[in-house]
Amino acid sequence: MRTRVLTLLAAATVAVAAPATASAATVIGGFSAGLVNVTSSTASIGANSTFSNGGSAVLGSSGDLSSIGLFTTFLTSSVTATSGAAVTFNAVFGSFSGKVASIATGTNFVTIYTLGDFTPAALSGYEAGKASVQFTFNQAGGAGSDISGSFSFASPPSPIPEPATWGMMIAGAAMAGAAVRRRRASTKVAAA
């Protein structure tokens, strides 16, 4: 009996003293980035347009990603405004691989929401996890004019926007485009 008690006590001591295997956490945070030299496969942007760019630069970061420096540059793949299209980026802090989940379009405005996986690189103690990237493209001057582009990254993924949210974003972009056009028109009149 005494031997059994000592054996159980020894086993319990080993179990308590054994180091627990620590599991790495997934990244909780986000960042916003601007796209440079954005071009489109179509003169007027919309559904099925493919947007190419010359790269990305971080404009702000938060949470576990707050250590990403302002203006950190990295490569972003072209993005096609078609459900299921592949989207990737590679940076010193990690990589994203996903697919387009939803698209919203308006006059001179496209928003593309993607879901996928983020694999951290320079962030020790973190493991791969689900993430989302939402791209916004605007062509304020109409068909054939310059295109601006930006995106926001979130881990864990931000929810897919509801139709009412898409409507408000499209209305906001339309008002911004109208304001730019109105400002350009008044500048031309003043110059004449």
Side-chain angles (χ1 to χ4, degrees):
M1 179 74 168
R2 183 175 176 189
T3 306
R4 285 185 195 167
V5 171
L6 289 174
T7 303
L8 287 174
L9 186 56
T13 303
V14 169
V16 171
T21 55
S23 63
T26 55
V27 170
I28 298 175
F31 68 88
S32 60
L35 297 166
V36 294
N37 300 324
V38 178
T39 59
S40 172
S41 62
T42 56
S44 293
I45 64 173
N48 300 315
S49 292
T50 298
F51 299 94
S52 299
N53 61 82
S56 307
V58 173
L59 302 176
S61 56
S62 65
D64 295 333
L65 298 172
S66 61
S67 63
I68 300 172
L70 197 59
F71 303 120
T72 297
T73 59
F74 57 99
L75 300 176
T76 308
S77 68
S78 61
V79 181
T80 302
T82 303
S83 290
V87 176
T88 62
F89 71 70
N90 294 300
V92 295
F93 52 84
S95 61
F96 174 82
S97 178
K99 295 193 180 291
V100 173
S102 68
I103 304 147
T105 60
T107 304
N108 305 322
F109 177 83
V110 176
T111 296
I112 303 169
Y113 179 83
T114 67
L115 287 172
D117 296 303
F118 176 67
T119 304
L123 304 168
S124 62
Y126 294 99
E127 63 184 22
K130 297 294 180 192
S132 63
V133 176
Q134 183 171 310
F135 292 88
T136 302
F137 297 98
N138 193 355
Q139 192 176 32
S145 64
D146 290 342
I147 302 167
S148 62
S150 63
F151 71 92
S152 59
F153 170 89
S155 176
S158 59
I160 296 176
E162 297 291 328
T165 304
W166 284 121
M168 288 188 329
M169 287 190 313
I170 291 169
M175 288 190 303
V180 168
R181 274 187 240 122
R182 191 174 323 126
R183 189 176 72 206
R184 285 184 183 165
S186 66
T187 304
K188 288 178 185 176
V189 170

